[in-house]
Amino acid sequence: MSIKDYNPKEIEKLIKKSFSMFPNIEVVYRFSDEIYDAITFTKELMNKVDCILYSSRTTYLLVKDHINDSIESYYIPLKGSGFFEALFYLIKDHPIQFISIDGLAKEYIQSVICEIEGIDYTIVEHLGIVEGYEKIVQRHLEAIEGKSNVGIITSIKKVQDALKQYKLPVVWLKPTQQDIIVCIERILLSSTQRRKRENQVIYGKFLIEFKEQNVQSLNKKARVKNKLEKALYRFVDDMYGYIIPVSETEYHFIAYRGDFERITEGYKVLNIFKEINQYKELKVMLGVGFGMSIPVSVFHADVALKQCQQHSTNIAFIVNEERNVIGPIIINIPTVYQLTDHEKEFQTRQIETIKKYLLKNNLNYFTSDEVAINLNVTKRTANRIISNWLDSNLIEFFGLEKVNG
C-alpha cells in the first residue's frame, strides 16, 4: 500500500517517525510550508498512490475545492492530546488569563481548561477553508479585544503566521504522534486498496538447519524437532492458515495477508522466533512471498528465502507483489504484553491527571513525590508507575530528585 503524505516542514520529523512504525506501508512524502503546494503535489501523485493523507482538515478541504478527480483522501484530526501540548507552550512563558481557540471541539477544550484556575477562553468557529483565513485572523483579534494577558491557539499555520505580526502569544495546534498513529491505523482499516490486499493469499517457507556439533543425540534432536513443529503449527494456526510439511527441514504455509500482518503487527515482530531462539541447535530461516496469484507468491517466497541464506542467524524476509524486499523482520525483541481495556483506561486517567497538574503549575517535569500525591498512592507505587511510563516511552528521564536529610 502506498500513501502520499502532504505536511508542513515543521512536523516532518514527527510524520516520518510515525510512519516508520508501519513498514508495510510505502510512503511518498511531500513537505511544504506553503499550503497551496498541496494542490500541485496532489495533481503530481494522485495516479501513482493508493490514497492521500493531509496534515489538517484545512488542507484536505482546500484540495477538494480545486481538484474534482476522486482519490481516497484522509486528514489527521486534532484531538485533546495536541491541545495539551499547545496549551503548555502558550502558558509556560506568558501569564495567560484568556485564550482564543479555533479548530478544536469544545469537549476537548473544556475537559482541560476546567482543571486550570484563572483561565477563560472563547472558541472561534470556522469551516477550515483557507481562502477565508483573514476572516479567522480578524475574529481572533475581535475575541481578545479589550482583554489583558491574552493568547491564541490556532489550527491553521497561515493564521499563526498572520497573528505573529501583531506581537501576540500564538501557538499552532499540531497533531501529536498518537493522533497520527491512530489516523494511519484507521486508513489501514478503511482503504479500498487495503481491503483488497488483506484478502491476498501469501506463501511462506520455513527452512531449518540443524547444527550437528550442538546435537548431542538422536533423542535430543527428536525432542527439539517436536517442539519446533509445535511452535510452527501454533504460528500458522494463529493466522488461520494451512501448514504443509515438505520434509524434516522444510515447512510451507498458506495464509491470508491480513492475518499475517495482524500477528506480525505490520511486519514489525515475529513472536515465533522468541521460542526458536532458545534452541541453539537450530538455524531457522523464513521467506514470505506476496503476489496476486499463488504461483507468484511461491516464487517471491523463494526469493525471500535466498535473502535469508546470506545471513548466519535466525532471520526472516518478505518479498511483496512489487518485488520489494522487506526485512530483516525484527526477531530478537523484548517481551511484549497487551494491557486490558480497563488497564489502558486507568493508565490514561493517571497520565491525564499528571498533565493537568503540570499545566496548572506551569511545570515541564515532575517527581515521584508529586506523582504519589496527585494519584493518591504510596511512593513505592509511584516509582513503579513512573517505571512503566518510561518503559512505554510515554515520558523521558530528566534528572535525579534531590532528597534532604
Side-chain angles (χ1 to χ4, degrees):
M1 178 179 185
S2 56
I3 293 179
K4 178 260 183 182
D5 179 59
Y6 163 75
N7 285 285
K9 290 183 178 179
E10 198 168 325
I11 57 174
E12 177 178 351
K13 186 177 180 181
L14 184 63
I15 291 285
K16 288 185 175 180
K17 182 179 180 182
S18 300
F19 269 108
S20 69
M21 301 174 68
F22 297 86
N24 52 323
I25 300 178
E26 179 186 348
V27 187
V28 179
Y29 295 104
R30 291 293 184 271
F31 296 98
S32 174
D33 287 329
E34 175 49 60
I35 192 169
Y36 289 97
D37 285 344
I39 300 170
T40 304
F41 294 155
T42 301
K43 289 178 179 177
E44 173 196 352
L45 294 169
M46 62 186 303
N47 295 320
K48 301 177 182 178
V49 297
D50 301 324
C51 62
I52 298 177
L53 174 64
Y54 299 101
S55 62
S56 68
R57 178 174 170 78
T58 304
T59 313
Y60 170 84
L61 292 175
L62 173 67
V63 174
K64 287 294 183 183
D65 285 344
H66 287 79
I67 299 177
N68 295 322
D69 292 344
S70 60
I71 181 173
E72 290 189 59
S73 302
Y74 305 86
Y75 62 87
I76 303 170
L78 294 171
K79 300 291 185 65
S81 55
F83 181 59
F84 265 117
E85 185 176 304
L87 186 59
F88 170 77
Y89 284 112
L90 185 64
I91 68 175
K92 76 182 183 75
D93 295 323
H94 304 92
I96 301 296
Q97 294 180 332
F98 184 86
I99 307 174
S100 181
I101 306 166
D102 74 63
L104 197 63
K106 182 178 180 180
E107 291 75 16
Y108 292 125
I109 300 171
Q110 186 63 31
S111 64
V112 177
I113 294 291
C114 67
E115 298 292 331
I116 305 174
E117 295 179 2
I119 294 184
D120 198 5
Y121 71 95
T122 188
I123 299 176
V124 171
E125 301 285 356
H126 66 80
L127 298 177
I129 301 173
V130 73
E131 278 84 353
Y133 83 94
E134 297 94 344
K135 294 180 180 179
I136 300 171
V137 171
Q138 187 59 37
R139 292 180 65 186
H140 275 296
L141 294 174
E142 291 171 358
I144 62 174
E145 188 176 1
K147 296 180 172 61
S148 57
N149 297 327
V150 298
I152 298 172
I153 295 177
T154 177
S155 60
I156 303 176
K157 183 71 164 61
K158 212 169 182 67
V159 172
Q160 182 202 30
D161 294 339
L163 286 168
K164 281 183 177 179
Q165 299 176 12
Y166 294 88
K167 309 299 182 182
L168 293 167
V170 54
V171 176
W172 176 32
L173 179 60
K174 296 177 287 188
T176 63
Q177 185 172 11
Q178 180 184 357
D179 296 332
I180 298 167
I181 290 172
V182 169
C183 183
I184 295 170
E185 289 173 342
R186 288 177 178 171
I187 290 175
L188 290 176
L189 292 173
S190 62
S191 164
T192 302
Q193 186 70 16
R194 178 66 193 168
R195 288 193 293 270
K196 289 180 182 177
R197 292 189 179 181
E198 280 203 343
N199 291 325
Q200 281 184 15
V201 174
I202 68 164
Y203 202 89
K205 293 187 176 184
F206 279 102
L207 194 62
I208 297 104
E209 294 181 2
F210 283 90
K211 301 174 183 177
E212 296 297 335
Q213 66 272 22
N214 291 330
V215 178
Q216 302 298 322
S217 65
L218 290 177
N219 285 338
K220 183 173 181 180
K221 182 176 180 179
R223 288 197 301 271
V224 171
K225 181 177 178 296
N226 182 54
K227 290 179 181 178
L228 173 63
E229 278 192 344
K230 286 183 178 179
L232 295 177
Y233 275 84
R234 185 163 53 248
F235 171 72
V236 176
D237 188 56
D238 286 343
M239 292 187 288
Y240 309 112
Y242 182 75
I243 193 166
I244 308 165
V246 178
S247 68
E248 280 193 353
T249 59
E250 190 168 351
Y251 296 80
H252 297 182
F253 67 85
I254 300 174
Y256 284 113
R257 180 169 176 172
D259 290 319
F260 178 75
E261 292 181 352
R262 170 179 54 81
I263 70 162
T264 60
E265 299 179 23
Y267 317 149
K268 293 194 287 288
V269 296
L270 273 172
N271 288 325
I272 183 175
F273 279 92
K274 287 196 295 185
E275 300 180 55
I276 292 174
N277 281 343
Q278 64 182 304
Y279 304 121
K280 305 301 182 184
E281 302 89 351
L282 300 175
K283 175 189 174 185
V284 180
M285 295 166 284
L286 169 60
V288 179
F290 298 163
M292 303 309 294
S293 65
I294 291 181
V296 173
S297 297
V298 173
F299 173 73
H300 288 165
D302 287 331
V303 175
L305 206 54
K306 289 179 181 177
Q307 296 289 323
C308 296
Q309 290 170 339
Q310 299 174 20
H311 298 262
S312 60
T313 57
N314 295 339
I315 203 162
F317 279 91
I318 299 169
V319 174
N320 66 15
E321 66 277 11
E322 297 174 351
R323 296 197 179 180
N324 294 325
V325 177
I326 302 171
I329 298 177
I330 297 172
I331 293 173
N332 297 313
I333 59 171
T335 302
V336 177
Y337 65 92
Q338 298 290 332
L339 294 173
T340 64
D341 290 340
H342 175 73
E343 288 171 325
K344 287 180 180 177
E345 182 182 346
F346 184 62
Q347 185 185 67
T348 300
R349 286 203 305 268
Q350 290 178 329
I351 293 169
E352 296 302 315
T353 299
I354 297 301
K355 280 184 176 180
K356 289 172 183 177
Y357 167 77
L358 295 176
L359 284 171
K360 187 175 181 180
N361 293 276
N362 195 22
L363 297 171
N364 60 2
Y365 65 90
F366 57 83
T367 66
S368 57
D369 284 331
E370 289 167 327
V371 171
I373 293 170
N374 282 277
L375 300 184
N376 195 25
V377 296
T378 65
K379 179 73 174 289
R380 184 176 180 181
T381 300
N383 286 328
R384 187 169 65 249
I385 291 171
I386 292 172
S387 178
N388 289 336
W389 291 350
L390 285 167
D391 291 342
S392 302
N393 293 320
L394 296 173
I395 60 174
E396 294 181 354
F397 180 76
F398 186 75
L400 296 176
E401 179 184 1
K402 292 184 179 179
V403 180
N404 296 325

